[in-house]
Each structure stands twice: as C-alpha cells, then as structure tokens.
Amino acid sequence: MSTELPTTFDPAAIEARWYAHWEQEGLFRPERPDAQPYTIVNPPPNVTGSLHIGHALDNTLQDIMIRYERLRGKDALWVVGTDHAGIATQMVVERQLEAKQDKRTNYSREDFVAKVWEWKEESGGTITRQLRRLGCSMDWSREQFTMDPHFSAAVIKTFVDLYNDGLIYRDKRLVNWDPKLKTAISDLEVETQDVKGSFWHFRYPLEDGVTLADGRDYIEVATTRPETMLADMAVAVHPEDERYASVVGKHVVLPITGRRVPIVADEHADPELGSGAVKITPGHDFNDFEVGKRAGFKPAEMLNMLDGEANVCQTADGLVPEEFLGLHRFKRDRVDGARELVVQRLKDSGHLIPHIAKTKKGEEQELDAEPRTIATPFGDRGGVVIEPWLTDQWYVDAEKLAVKPIEAVKNGAVEIVPKSWEKTFFNWMENIQPWCVSRQLWWGHRIPAWYDAEGKAYVALTEEEAQAQAGEGAALTRDEDVLDTWFSSALWPFATLGWPEQTDLVAKHYPNDLLVSGFDILFFWDARMMMMGQYTTGQNPWPKLYLHGLVRAADGQKMSKSKGNVVDPLGLIDQYGADALRFFMAAMESQGRDIKMDDKRIEGYRNFATKLWNATRFCQSNGIGASTSIAAPKATHAVNRWIIGEVVQTRQALDAALADLRFDAAANTIYHFVWDRFCDWYIELVKGNFDEETRAVAGWALDQILVMLHPFMPFITEELWSKQGDRADYPLITASWVDPQAEVDAEAKAEIDWLIALTSAIRTAKNELGIAPGAKLEAFCPAPSALAKSVAEANSGAIERLARLTAIHFAEAPTGAAMQIAAGEDALVIPLEGVIDIEAEKTRLSKALETSAKEAKSLEGRLSNANFVERAKPEAVEKARADHAHHVAEVARLEAALARLG
C-alpha cells in the first residue's frame, strides 16, 4: 500500500533523512562480491576546503555514473578522501598560532606537525559533510587521507623506486618561489594578475671602444624588473639582427656592478620588440634560464641576487654594492627597495633612457619609464609576487614517464572525452619539463633522503636503510623538505585501494573505470596519475578520462572572490534543494563547453521535481501504487501499450547517452519523458479510465521514472519510491535498472502520437488566434487516413476532453471562415464563424507582424555592426541577441496564424 504524500514538496525535509539512512545502512556500497566492478576515484579535495560550485559539478557527474552503475547491478565503488594540502593546511594552522601571538618556529617540527593533526581531527571534515549534502554516494566506510599510514608508505616507496631507477634526482633549477611562504610552488598555485607597472630603458656600455654600426657605444635594453640587472649575465640579440651582428661575442660592462657580460646570439630576442636587445638574468627569469644554458652557463654558475624572502643578497662574484644588500626587491610598506635604488643610480649615472610622453595638451613630458599594464604572477596562497628563484630541488624525470601515457592516448587505450582535449594533452606531454616535487614545508610527506657531512644523499625507505648505505659511523641528516601534494595524489587510483599490498580491492578495482575531472588539472593531476599508474603498476589507471568545463557566472565571466561573483552551492541547495542543483549541472554539462550559472533554470528544475511530486500524489489518489514487476505488465489499451514503448525508448536513449558521457542528453531525455510524455500526456489521457490494467501500467511506468531519474535526483526519487509501496527491503538506491522486456508497439505509438499531434495543433492555433482554451469546436477532415479514422473512433472521449473537439466529421467543411491544422498526414478544417471576428483578427495579427518584423530587422542591423558587438557591454549584446531571437520567432508565429485564416 502507498503512503499518502504531503501536499507540498519540501526538499530540506527529505534530504538529510535519506542521506543518513543510506549511509547508516551501508547502501553506498552493498555487498556484491560476484558482481562486475565499477570504480571511480573522487579527485581528493583539500582537507582545508569548502564545497565550491566546481566541486558541485564534478561530484554530481561522478555520482550520476556511480548510481547508474549501482542500479545496473555492478559492485560500484566510489573512492572518497581528502588531500593533506601541504601549503594550505600549514597556512591555516600558522594563522591560528598568529592569532594567539604565537608562531610555527616556536615549536619543533614534530610538535608543529602534531598541532596540524589536531586541527585535522577537529576541523578537517567540512568538505566531506558538504559532499553529503549534495547527495554523493561515496564509500565513506573507507574514507582516505593522503597522510594515512598506508598511503604514506606508498608515497615513500614510489619516491625510493623512482630514485633507484634514475627517475628522481636533485638539481639546481628555477622554481616558482613564494617569498612569503618561503617555498617552491606549482604552476597551478600561481595566479596571473594585471598590475600597473613600468617599462624602463637602460644604456649598457660596450667594452673596449666597440661601437654599433650607427656609432653608438652602448646597447639599449628594456625591462619591467630593473632590480634584476644586479644579476645580469648576458645581453641577447637575434642571430639575424644586422644591427648587432658586429658585436655578437663582444661584451658590455654593466652599470652599478661593473660586471663584464657577453653579447650572445639567441632567437629568444625579438628584433621587432623594443631595441631588439634583451638583458639576460638566468637566475631570476624562466626564459633567461634557458637562454643562459644555451649560452653555456651551467645552473650552478648562474647568479642569484635574492634570498628566500626576496631581499637582496650578495652574488657569487661579490659585485653587488653594499648599499643594496638587505633591501627588498621592490618597494614594500612604503619603503623603497632595490628596484627604486637601481633606477635612481642609473638615472644619476646617465644610464637611464627617459621615456618621452605627451600630456593631454600635447606637450612633451619626460618620465623615468613608460607606464604599462604588466601580467604579474602571484602566489594564490601567499598573495605576493612570485619570484623565479634558483635553488636545489628534487625533480622527477617527467619526460621519460610521459612516454607510455602518450602512447596510451594515441593507441586508444585511454580515451579522453571530449576528444578535442587530446591535442592539448599531447602538446604538453611532448614538451614536458622536469617536475619539481620538493616543497619547503613541515606538513607533508618528508623526503626520504639523508645527507652525510659532504652533502651526499642516501635515499631509502627508512633511516636504518640509509645508514646501512652510508656505512656505520657516518653522521646523517634528513632532508628538511616535503613532497609536492600532487606527487602523492598521483598515486590516488591505486594507493587508496591498498597498493603496494596486492589487496583484494586492488585486484578487483584497479584499473578504475572512469575519471571525471576539470580540464584545469589535466596536467597537474590526470596526466601524472597516468605516469605513476604506468610506472608503479604497468597499467593505465583508467580507460576513460572525462574533462568537464568551468562553471561561470551568469554573464560568462570566470568566478572569483575579487569580482564578488562566486556562487555558494550550499546556498543554492538551501533555496532549491540538492536535486534541482544536481539536475541543473547535468542538463547544462555539454561536452567541451563551460556552464553559465542560471538561478531561473535551477528554479525550473525545482518546479520539475514538484511536478513529479504532484503527479505521484495524483496517482496515489487514483489507487496507483508500487509495481510488483521489473518487466512491463501486460497491456491491451493503446495508451498503455504506448507508454510502455515510451519507457523502452527512454531507457535506450539514456543508456546510449551515459555510455557516451553525454550528461546533457541524458538529463534532457528523462526530463522530457517525465514532463511531456508521462505527466502532460499519459496522465491526461488515462484520467477517468483507471481500470485494473491502467493502474498496473501507470504504477509500473512511475516506478521506471523513479529508477531512471534516481542518478540525477536521488532524494525525491527515493522518497516517492518509499511512499508508493512498502518495500523497505528493496530501496531504490540498490534496486534494479529498467528492464521492460517489451518492444515499442508501432500501432499504439502511431495512434497516440496522432492524438497528441491533433491536440497540440488545436491548442497552438487557439493561442495564436486568441480563442479561449476551453472553447469547444468541430473539425472536418474530407480525406482522412485510416489512422485518423481509427483514432477518432477509438478516442472520441479523449478528443473532446483534451482537444475540445465535439466531433470530427469525415466530410467537406462548410464554406465560411475557418482555420486549418495538421495531425500527422491529415489536414483538418475547423470552422470559426461566430467564434472570432476574422477580419479584426487578421488586422491585429498583421499589425503585430509588422511591428515584430521591423524590430527584428533593426536588431539584426545592430548585431551585424562589429562596433556594437565588440564595444557594447556584454549584457547589452546578449539582450539584443535575445530580443532578436524573440522577434524572429514572433514573425514565424504570426505568419503561421495568418496562414491559418487563409
């Protein structure tokens, strides 16, 4: 027996209750030892994190696939856990200490790490609670953490193995250095911001009386970072730049330091940019580093002029003047730094070339530098300008590890969806640089390397093994650095299952079946999992990688806190319910495109859920409860045979869409079946005719809706499932996928589709002509098809109730005003004498048509104007496009209406 539903659908009332029930009963991973495995690992969010809209999209898509495969009977495992997030977590704890006038360096390393663990136990579960609110059906019984003992063992083993195989090494290279956090950071943790800055021009004197072809005894260079000239080691010119051909191999003497540096030929110098000559500071610029290497400088020889806090230190050649030592690289807290002093000294010595600008009045004005907007790298955590810094770090030989992943994508062993991302993947992988994996932090996996007094490294699983390598009596000191968190998370697909132990989980669930990921971490995480998977296990971590887009603000801009356009998914859940937000994410997820936030659409999907709720209440009020069969019931009525066929087609379309990871197509398929076919037509067609067969078919069809919709809207479907019948031992989350064991009945489909076409055409025509929806009319069909005759005879009651036709006469229509409609291949004439004033209606329609046509033409002209499209505000352009589309549609509608009137 069904349990009566409340009148109003309230998502909040059911979501917490059902999630707690699923989790407590172990329904996210029921015991299915003999079932085919299906495995997804969740991209581990930072333990410090909170659910953002990108998480909502990413996890919704994964949950759709996990719930779908669970319903299909598979042993569906969704691995969940969090990343220890080295920098972010250490910062959180350090800020807590600072709030108490305390600091990290007041503690030993061990004591500080203990404090981090305390924080993790007390406050590290925020995002996992939020994932539950979204409805994520993860295996919480095995929640993972990248610093768990078994995971840490896997990380250390991988490092040692890579080292022993010559794939990890220590080297001096440039890194992204955060002077505030005093650690190297990854490219992903660098944010580029446009900053108002300056472009300075200097004279570098040529040595030994050498001059250029035009007689100048200096080379002009330009820079946005004048302070770095204290560590310049060369000037580069293009090898084909004739202006400098005579001085290549000669030298300049730098102002301030007096350093003698060579002029080198290198294609990095652009003859069209500025003077065509570029100052080269290999120790503080990534491009210059490569130029320096090509010029013959070894990294160990490259000059460094800054310490870890970006204050000026003495270079190896001792040529930086005393007055610069200790200064910050540029002005900070209103105190001039090295940049300002360098400019002043060059100005004093006559080596600064002034920039001549014009005032608004046209008068010439001499400035020290040309004002420019400069793309500047900032650390996303520390918030200060990143410094390219030359340090000794640990590197992975990514070029060698990339070979097998490249081959896997090329031969189809790993499919990237959408395929358009393959080009980007290959471009990055085939030009991959060494991967810096060391970080100057205390929180994280400490690098398993010990050094003797001479600095020789001994890499081992334990200190005892390192001591054995070094020999008895050798004093060893452990490396202070920890590993990049991307290094440990690269092991996520298999270390979460127990690797390197050959556990049952590893045997059954590795390789995984699918990875769902944002495209923005394709290289930082996805590609590295492929590298590590192949290296450690000899297998690809998964056969398919799905890359989704970004969720953008409603105006298409990228969301950011600085713009104030960040959307809180929990707020949307509070307002509309998790099901509505999930369905929005799925319906809008079109391969290769970003998603624009649209509250109205989310509200629309909340209304969709309400419509299903009310349809179920209607069914209950007519004695329709749960079905007792997975297979379709036997049916004789055309309308019942039709709805069974609609279920068959919907399931086929859903299976095809999800197999291709077409989430938008899948969501739209079930949406239109529920709203259009079941609620709008089937229920209307069977009203008042609830015999035993129809109750059985309607109950079965509603059950199939709940099953097919469950992966997208788990909460409302489980609630309705439970209220439709007493089946506590057969919850929807672990029920069986739709299997009608029936075919589409072509005869029934043709009959009901004709009836729907007739009703739709009449309703549209009435709306166009301003005829009251309830007005009863007659229709004439002088040359009916056999289908028209059979439908009219078998469905006269439904035709009068739905189409408001009192009769369909298979004869010529009387003369006079009338409108024409079509149903299938049949043309029907509906007399309008006495229904509307035909001439007045024609006049009204013609006037409206003229207005819309004029507006459409005007808007078309505006939109074809490049100046308007490029210079107007984006929202103005968007509105113009929407208005144009509206008026074009109105023209088509009004022309059709006039045509109906003859």
Side-chain angles (χ1 to χ4, degrees):
M1 290 293 292
S2 61
T3 304
E4 187 176 350
L5 289 166
T7 305
T8 305
F9 166 52
D10 178 12
I14 65 174
E15 288 176 2
R17 171 165 49 84
W18 274 116
Y19 198 93
H21 174 78
W22 290 329
E23 187 172 354
Q24 288 163 10
E25 296 298 317
L27 297 175
F28 294 147
R29 184 135 187 272
E31 288 292 329
R32 292 176 175 175
D34 301 322
Q36 180 183 345
Y38 184 84
T39 313
I40 295 179
V41 295
N42 181 47
N46 287 352
V47 69
T48 57
S50 294
L51 191 75
H52 58 61
I53 201 70
H55 288 134
L57 169 63
D58 195 71
N59 286 282
T60 292
L61 302 182
Q62 292 174 73
D63 198 36
I64 287 170
M65 295 308 299
I66 281 290
R67 287 180 182 270
Y68 170 65
E69 297 294 358
R70 188 185 295 121
L71 288 167
R72 298 214 303 165
K74 294 182 182 177
D75 179 10
L77 169 62
W78 189 6
V79 175
V80 62
T82 49
D83 190 284
H84 64 277
I87 294 176
T89 308
Q90 182 161 317
M91 280 184 67
V92 167
V93 177
E94 287 199 50
R95 282 174 183 158
Q96 287 186 343
L97 292 175
E98 288 169 7
K100 301 173 184 175
Q101 286 73 52
D102 202 352
K103 57 183 179 180
R104 171 173 58 93
T105 51
N106 287 343
Y107 298 86
S108 68
R109 183 180 188 130
E110 291 70 24
D111 288 343
F112 177 78
V113 169
K115 284 190 171 294
V116 180
W117 278 108
E118 286 175 17
W119 174 88
K120 193 262 180 185
E121 295 307 313
E122 293 171 6
S123 309
T126 299
I127 195 161
T128 57
R129 291 191 295 272
Q130 293 168 338
L131 288 169
R132 287 172 166 90
R133 286 204 61 194
L134 188 63
C136 299
S137 57
M138 297 155 157
D139 182 13
W140 296 107
S141 69
R142 295 191 60 263
E143 184 177 349
Q144 302 288 299
F145 184 52
T146 50
M147 288 288 284
D148 283 341
H150 77 276
F151 204 100
S152 295
V155 171
I156 299 305
K157 171 180 167 50
T158 302
F159 185 97
V160 173
D161 289 348
L162 285 165
Y163 178 82
N164 289 335
D165 288 341
L167 295 170
I168 274 187
Y169 56 92
R170 194 161 170 80
D171 195 10
K172 186 182 288 290
R173 295 177 63 90
L174 280 186
V175 296
N176 294 310
W177 184 262
D178 188 317
K180 183 175 181 180
L181 303 179
K182 294 188 278 295
T183 181
I185 63 174
S186 72
D187 290 344
L188 188 65
E189 294 156 323
V190 177
E191 292 180 343
T192 300
Q193 301 176 21
D194 286 337
V195 175
K196 288 183 178 179
S198 300
F199 198 45
W200 287 270
H201 293 253
F202 304 147
R203 295 184 180 92
Y204 278 4
L206 288 158
E207 190 191 35
D208 299 330
V210 173
T211 60
L212 299 176
D214 61 8
R216 281 183 294 157
D217 61 354
Y218 64 88
I219 286 184
E220 179 183 337
V221 297
T223 182
T224 58
R225 302 178 67 212
E227 68 279 5
T228 61
M229 66 87 58
L230 298 174
D232 277 358
M233 297 185 71
V235 171
V237 296
H238 196 278
E240 296 178 4
D241 193 334
E242 294 182 1
R243 293 171 296 176
Y244 301 110
S246 64
V247 296
V248 171
K250 307 296 185 182
H251 293 79
V252 296
V253 177
L254 301 181
I256 300 179
T257 62
R259 185 177 301 117
R260 179 177 181 268
V261 304
I263 300 166
V264 300
D266 195 283
E267 292 184 354
H268 170 64
D270 184 351
E272 303 298 321
L273 188 62
S275 68
V278 184
K279 61 185 283 300
I280 301 299
T281 320
H284 293 282
D285 184 278
F286 288 102
N287 289 321
D288 291 5
F289 179 78
E290 297 301 326
V291 175
K293 286 200 300 182
R294 290 194 291 270
F297 297 114
K298 296 177 181 177
E301 300 168 348
M302 294 177 183
L303 298 177
N304 176 46
M305 55 162 283
L306 296 173
D307 63 17
E309 295 180 348
N311 297 324
V312 177
C313 62
Q314 187 56 267
T315 52
D317 60 8
L319 293 177
V320 176
E322 186 80 21
E323 65 175 330
F324 289 92
L325 301 181
L327 292 179
H328 192 61
R329 53 188 167 164
F330 43 65
K331 182 180 282 190
R332 181 176 61 176
D333 300 330
R334 300 184 180 179
V335 177
D336 283 351
R339 174 173 299 177
E340 291 70 29
L341 186 57
V342 163
V343 171
Q344 186 58 51
R345 291 292 174 262
L346 291 173
K347 188 175 183 180
D348 294 343
S349 64
H351 293 99
L352 176 71
I353 301 174
H355 173 69
I356 306 301
K358 286 191 176 182
T359 65
K360 290 182 179 179
K361 294 181 180 179
E363 298 170 348
E364 287 194 348
Q365 180 183 23
E366 190 174 284
L367 304 174
D368 285 350
E370 175 189 349
R372 280 201 179 181
T373 298
I374 300 164
T376 306
F378 283 79
D380 66 349
R381 305 283 181 188
V384 299
V385 176
I386 293 304
E387 186 65 44
W389 203 47
L390 198 60
T391 60
D392 290 310
Q393 303 282 350
W394 288 93
Y395 290 88
V396 170
D397 189 343
E399 184 179 2
K400 289 180 181 174
L401 291 180
V403 171
K404 288 185 178 178
I406 290 171
E407 182 184 342
V409 175
K410 283 185 175 178
N411 66 25
V414 173
E415 178 188 3
I416 298 178
V417 181
K419 192 176 178 66
S420 55
W421 279 107
E422 283 188 5
K423 183 178 179 181
T424 306
F425 174 83
F426 290 133
N427 184 56
W428 189 76
M429 293 288 274
E430 289 167 357
N431 297 282
I432 200 165
Q433 296 297 307
W435 171 18
C436 176
V437 293
S438 45
R439 297 291 182 266
Q440 290 64 53
L441 302 168
W442 281 1
W443 171 244
H445 299 105
R446 195 167 177 182
I447 289 175
W450 287 261
Y451 302 95
D452 62 19
E454 283 73 43
K456 183 179 178 182
Y458 300 91
V459 173
L461 293 173
T462 65
E463 186 171 1
E464 290 73 23
E465 290 183 18
Q467 190 69 64
Q469 291 179 26
E472 190 176 343
L476 297 180
T477 304
R478 186 165 186 179
D479 197 307
E480 293 287 329
D481 292 351
V482 300
L483 285 163
D484 175 16
T485 51
W486 293 107
F487 184 91
S488 49
S489 61
L491 313 183
W492 195 247
F494 43 90
T496 52
L497 302 174
W499 184 93
E501 300 299 323
Q502 292 305 306
T503 63
D504 292 342
L505 280 172
V506 170
K508 186 173 185 180
H509 291 277
Y510 186 81
N512 310 156
D513 290 270
L514 170 69
L515 181 73
V516 176
S517 163
F519 71 83
D520 51 337
I521 55 173
L522 170 59
F523 309 124
F524 297 103
W525 190 49
D526 308 342
R528 287 167 177 169
M529 281 189 285
M530 294 174 71
M531 293 182 199
M532 292 302 189
Q534 277 285 354
Y535 173 73
T536 57
T537 71
Q539 295 177 287
N540 298 309
W542 12 257
K544 189 172 287 190
L545 166 61
Y546 181 83
L547 298 172
H548 59 73
L550 298 177
V551 183
R552 296 184 175 272
D555 60 3
Q557 290 194 58
K558 190 173 181 179
M559 291 186 191
S560 72
K561 291 178 182 177
S562 61
K563 292 177 183 174
N565 62 355
V566 174
V567 174
D568 176 15
L570 298 178
L572 294 172
I573 290 173
D574 290 339
Q575 189 172 1
Y576 304 110
D579 285 333
L581 176 60
R582 288 168 60 106
F583 203 90
F584 168 80
M585 291 299 182
M588 300 300 288
E589 172 52 27
S590 179
Q591 288 183 10
R593 295 184 181 178
D594 291 342
I595 292 174
K596 286 185 183 179
M597 278 307 303
D598 187 341
D599 282 20
K600 283 293 182 187
R601 290 198 73 142
I602 302 175
E603 183 180 3
Y605 294 129
R606 159 71 190 267
N607 296 339
F608 169 62
T610 299
K611 190 173 183 79
L612 178 61
W613 183 273
N614 291 336
T616 306
R617 290 184 68 246
F618 174 81
C619 288
Q620 289 185 348
S621 69
N622 286 279
I624 297 168
S627 176
T628 57
S629 170
I630 293 174
K634 293 195 180 303
T636 57
H637 304 325
V639 69
N640 290 331
R641 289 182 284 130
W642 169 77
I643 197 64
I644 289 170
E646 291 295 306
V647 169
V648 170
Q649 290 185 314
T650 301
R651 193 211 69 174
Q652 290 171 345
L654 262 182
D655 284 343
L658 290 176
D660 291 338
L661 301 176
R662 294 277 181 185
F663 294 98
D664 54 346
N668 290 326
T669 294
I670 187 62
Y671 177 91
H672 288 296
F673 174 66
V674 173
W675 191 295
D676 301 340
R677 313 306 270 176
F678 185 79
C679 294
D680 280 359
W681 290 114
Y682 181 69
I683 287 179
E684 290 300 316
L685 287 166
V686 298
K687 268 183 182 175
N689 296 300
F690 288 107
D691 56 16
E692 186 176 344
E693 176 190 306
T694 300
R695 285 193 179 92
V697 171
W700 175 84
L702 180 56
D703 271 1
Q704 309 319 299
I705 284 173
L706 299 180
V707 173
M708 291 187 287
L709 186 58
H710 180 75
F712 305 88
M713 289 183 150
F715 293 111
I716 186 174
T717 52
E718 189 75 83
E719 177 74 359
L720 296 178
W721 179 270
S722 72
K723 294 295 191 288
Q724 274 296 90
D726 182 11
R727 41 189 173 187
D729 59 342
Y730 188 59
L732 176 57
I733 189 173
T734 53
S736 295
W737 186 240
V738 176
D739 184 16
Q741 299 172 35
E743 302 292 332
V744 175
D745 188 315
E747 184 180 324
K749 181 173 177 57
E751 180 175 331
I752 302 304
D753 284 351
W754 193 94
L755 180 56
I756 289 172
L758 172 69
T759 305
S760 299
I762 289 175
R763 289 175 177 175
T764 299
K766 282 182 173 180
N767 181 56
E768 288 173 352
L769 300 176
I771 302 172
K776 291 190 176 183
L777 306 171
E778 286 185 294
F780 291 82
C781 186
S785 64
L787 178 61
K789 283 184 175 181
S790 65
V791 174
E793 290 168 4
N795 298 276
S796 58
I799 289 172
E800 182 168 2
R801 183 163 48 84
L802 299 177
R804 310 301 285 170
L805 288 179
T806 55
I808 298 178
H809 304 286
F810 298 118
E812 292 289 341
T815 57
M819 66 176 180
Q820 291 197 9
I821 63 164
E825 298 177 358
D826 294 287
L828 292 89
V829 178
I830 299 176
L832 295 177
E833 287 291 342
V835 178
I836 58 171
D837 183 332
I838 298 294
E839 291 308 314
E841 186 61 21
K842 282 185 176 181
T843 301
R844 182 188 73 80
L845 291 170
S846 297
K847 188 174 181 181
L849 175 60
E850 183 182 351
T851 300
S852 275
K854 186 176 179 181
E855 280 296 316
K857 186 175 181 181
S858 172
L859 288 162
E860 184 180 354
R862 197 184 310 173
L863 289 167
S864 62
N865 184 337
N867 283 334
F868 170 73
V869 175
E870 292 170 8
R871 296 179 183 177
K873 291 183 178 179
E875 53 267 33
V877 176
E878 195 64 33
K879 185 178 186 306
R881 285 178 175 145
D883 289 347
H884 178 257
H886 165 73
H887 285 292
V888 168
E890 274 296 280
V891 167
R893 183 184 72 81
L894 293 165
E895 285 177 342
L898 281 166
R900 290 186 196 283
L901 297 178

